Amino acid sequence: AGRMRGAWRLPALLVLLVVGAGGYPTPEDDLGPPLGVAWTHAMGGPAAGERTRPRVPCVDDGPVAGAPIGGMGAGTMGRTYRGDFARWHMRVGGHTHRPAAHTLFAARVDGTATVLSALPSHAVIEGVPGGGGSDRTHSRRVLPPDGTGGTYHALYPRSWYEYDPSALAPGGRVRLSQTQFSPVIPGEYRDASMPVGVFRFLASNEGTSPAEVALAFSFENVLATTDVAPVDVGPPKASWRLAPHALTHSAFERADGRVVGAHMHTDDVVYGTRAPSEPWHGGVAVAADSADTRLNVTVLPLYDVGDADSIESRFWRPFSAAGGFGGDESFDAAADERQNERQNERDGGIAAGPLSACAVSVAFTLAPGERRNVTFAAAWDLPASSFPRGVTWAKRYTRYHGSFIHRRDVPRGAAAPDIATEALLRADEWEGDIARWQRGFVQSAAKKGANLDDPPGARGRNHPGRVRDRPTLRRPAWLVSALFNELYYLVDGGTLWGRPLTVAGFAGDVEESEALTAARKGGWR
């Protein structure tokens, strides 16, 4: 597997222990990484001390890696310390290492738009020869490739990006950080199996005047190919390994409008005319939490990533100019009107080609000294796993289908928007659970003199039941880092967690799903 320096080289150490108690930390309190314990690397530059070429050509992607996003047995995607999404295991048992050109985060600070990646190729917007559109090139701003644009930290299942303010805009008065995680939490088997990732930003204005800030999350449609990964457009089009089905994109809202996003899906599966039977059958959703009324959230359900002019005019130019989508007068108004008529899921969505993507943006104003949180989610509902030889499997999370969906007629493979919604509504809870689980271990690697092995409010150093001559438990920082960071292999090592599909199909899980939903009076809601 693609390994990072230090912790990522050790054999997987499977140690799961719930530690600590207390209320959930606020996002502002909990976004910072545990320095000294988390694996750390500059966002870019060479991987110091690492080989430059994989020793094993099979699945070792070299030293540029990062903690994965995804649930146990549900498939994963990997974002490197440079900020690019490069490792694709969304097809369980498959492996694709291909930095995505259009799956990315971007920030706009005081009129300056920057892709939050140090991958040099992200600086160029180019079309695809044979893709049916313009193959002209356009340029855009990215983080410095030498690593001075920010710092990456990882303590699985969380990882952090801390961006240098001067790399985001001249003057450097807005500080931006991000944490990302999946709810891989001990004992919470339902949550740990969910195919979802949470991406939380904290922006703060350290200047003396208001600052205009916007964030965007763009995602390529990985369902166009049987690899369930960005299309490899290097070979001739006849060799693109395209999946044999129609694709549709649509905008959606959930939770009374609190959650808005875009859903990319296989048409016949999501609309209920075909039961999922292949790894690429289902949908992928990206969404943002718009509960804060000071946030302006806009959705771009579809843009063509095979056409450089489409990428620039429909995605990058509107975001760069206004921090959102739909307000640029240079759009093709007639085309926009045709798309708007069918862009919502209730209206059938928009037909998409194999080279397509969607995006969600959030814009806001920061007063001097103000801090603001913005949360995105990416979820996928790809219920089936199949292999060249053998049976088809239903992934573990599918048994909880009834507790995810917002209405009972949502078929298998169509729940990605609902899974993303749950992730956004429970992000505080999940991050708090992860922090409490890790707290005792992180404290045990702290400096001498700290109360290392007891969480706040629990047994202390002078507790009457404590053996006073027993030394306080201490662990080397490298060991604590390895204990958590090596757990990545539970989800990223080609893990399949599920059951073989029988003649009963996915209906074999209905009884358990309905029982869970009834017990929770409507599930997590």
Side-chain angles (χ1 to χ4, degrees):
R3 305 287 171 96
M4 293 196 291
R5 186 183 176 192
W8 256 257
R9 280 188 172 181
L10 299 177
L13 303 175
L14 309 183
V15 181
L16 300 177
L17 179 64
V18 177
V19 179
Y24 300 125
T26 66
E28 292 188 2
D29 292 336
D30 203 46
L31 279 174
L35 300 178
V37 176
W39 188 90
T40 300
H41 198 286
M43 285 189 66
E50 286 284 351
R51 61 189 185 277
T52 58
R53 175 176 306 185
R55 293 173 181 165
V56 182
C58 176
V59 294
D60 191 335
D61 305 320
V64 182
I69 289 290
M72 293 181 63
T76 60
M77 56 183 177
R79 189 178 178 203
T80 78
Y81 60 71
R82 295 177 305 204
D84 59 306
F85 291 82
R87 184 176 170 98
W88 301 92
H89 287 177
M90 295 178 76
R91 175 170 182 166
V92 175
H95 169 75
T96 300
H97 184 269
R98 185 175 302 134
H102 309 288
T103 298
L104 53 85
F105 284 99
R108 180 182 183 269
V109 177
D110 289 332
T112 300
T114 307
V115 177
L116 297 178
S117 164
L119 183 68
S121 61
H122 276 154
V124 180
I125 300 173
E126 56 184 349
V128 176
S134 169
D135 58 1
R136 292 187 296 180
T137 61
H138 304 272
S139 62
R140 59 187 172 188
R141 196 172 187 267
V142 298
L143 297 176
D146 61 1
T148 58
T151 305
Y152 172 80
H153 310 274
L155 192 67
Y156 186 79
R158 287 187 296 175
S159 52
W160 298 260
Y161 294 85
E162 296 185 317
Y163 304 101
D164 188 294
S166 63
L168 301 178
R173 62 184 178 131
V174 173
R175 186 169 297 278
L176 186 67
S177 60
Q178 180 194 0
T179 182
Q180 62 185 36
F181 59 88
S182 294
V184 181
I185 302 167
E188 300 294 337
Y189 295 132
R190 174 189 179 276
D191 296 349
S193 71
M194 291 175 64
V196 71
V198 177
F199 306 86
R200 314 190 74 176
F201 286 88
L202 174 63
S204 59
N205 182 2
E206 300 178 347
T208 57
S209 60
E212 298 297 327
V213 181
L215 300 164
F217 187 15
S218 170
F219 207 100
E220 295 181 45
N221 193 335
V222 296
L223 307 179
T225 170
T226 56
D227 296 328
V228 195
V231 178
D232 182 5
V233 296
K237 188 173 182 178
S239 303
W240 281 4
R241 298 170 59 87
L242 298 180
H245 55 225
L247 300 172
T248 301
H249 290 211
S250 60
F252 68 87
E253 291 186 359
R254 294 288 189 276
D256 297 323
R258 173 177 172 175
V259 174
V260 295
H263 187 200
M264 306 175 289
H265 51 85
T266 50
D267 189 84
D268 50 0
V269 170
V270 166
Y271 292 115
T273 59
R274 175 191 296 197
S277 59
E278 297 289 354
W280 53 86
H281 286 168
V284 178
V286 294
D289 188 342
S290 64
D292 188 338
T293 58
R294 298 168 297 178
L295 303 178
N296 180 25
V297 182
T298 59
V299 178
L300 179 62
L302 170 68
Y303 69 99
D304 183 356
V305 299
D307 183 344
D309 290 344
S310 172
I311 302 167
E312 199 273 340
S313 66
R314 296 195 60 81
F315 169 63
W316 189 250
R317 190 194 310 165
F319 177 73
S320 180
F325 311 116
D328 192 315
E329 294 179 357
S330 65
F331 281 174
D332 179 345
D336 278 355
E337 184 176 356
R338 290 192 300 269
Q339 288 203 356
N340 288 338
E341 290 176 354
R342 294 181 58 81
Q343 69 176 1
N344 295 316
E345 59 180 347
R346 63 179 178 273
D347 299 322
I350 313 165
L355 301 177
S356 57
C358 67
V360 180
S361 71
V362 179
F364 51 95
T365 301
L366 284 177
E370 186 180 8
R371 293 150 63 96
R372 188 77 52 80
N373 289 297
V374 174
T375 306
F376 296 91
W380 52 99
D381 185 12
L382 305 172
S385 288
S386 64
F387 303 92
R389 290 181 293 179
V391 299
T392 299
W393 293 70
K395 296 175 184 175
R396 169 79 181 200
Y397 80 89
T398 61
R399 67 170 53 189
Y400 309 115
H401 178 79
S403 66
F404 295 137
I405 56 178
H406 70 292
R407 65 175 195 267
R408 295 187 62 85
D409 62 342
V410 176
R412 309 280 178 151
D418 299 298
I419 295 172
T421 298
E422 177 171 352
L424 291 171
L425 299 185
R426 298 183 64 196
D428 286 354
E429 173 192 344
W430 285 344
E431 192 169 9
D433 287 342
I434 295 169
R436 289 199 308 278
W437 166 34
Q438 295 181 336
R439 181 185 297 142
F441 293 92
V442 171
Q443 290 178 338
S444 74
K447 294 181 180 179
K448 185 177 180 180
N451 187 8
L452 301 176
D453 57 343
D454 294 307
R459 293 191 308 167
R461 191 180 298 277
N462 297 317
H463 187 273
R466 187 168 187 135
V467 179
R468 296 183 181 278
D469 59 353
R470 186 181 70 188
T472 300
L473 177 63
R474 299 184 186 279
R475 302 178 181 91
W478 65 264
L479 176 61
V480 175
S481 179
L483 285 173
F484 288 101
N485 281 332
E486 285 303 313
L487 293 178
Y488 86 98
Y489 205 72
L490 285 174
V491 302
D492 198 45
T495 309
L496 174 62
W497 187 20
R499 64 172 181 84
L501 273 175
T502 63
V503 292
F506 290 100
D509 281 333
V510 167
E511 182 176 344
E512 178 173 352
S513 179
E514 290 182 346
L516 177 68
T517 303
R520 297 189 177 184
K521 296 182 180 179
W524 53 270
R525 292 173 183 79

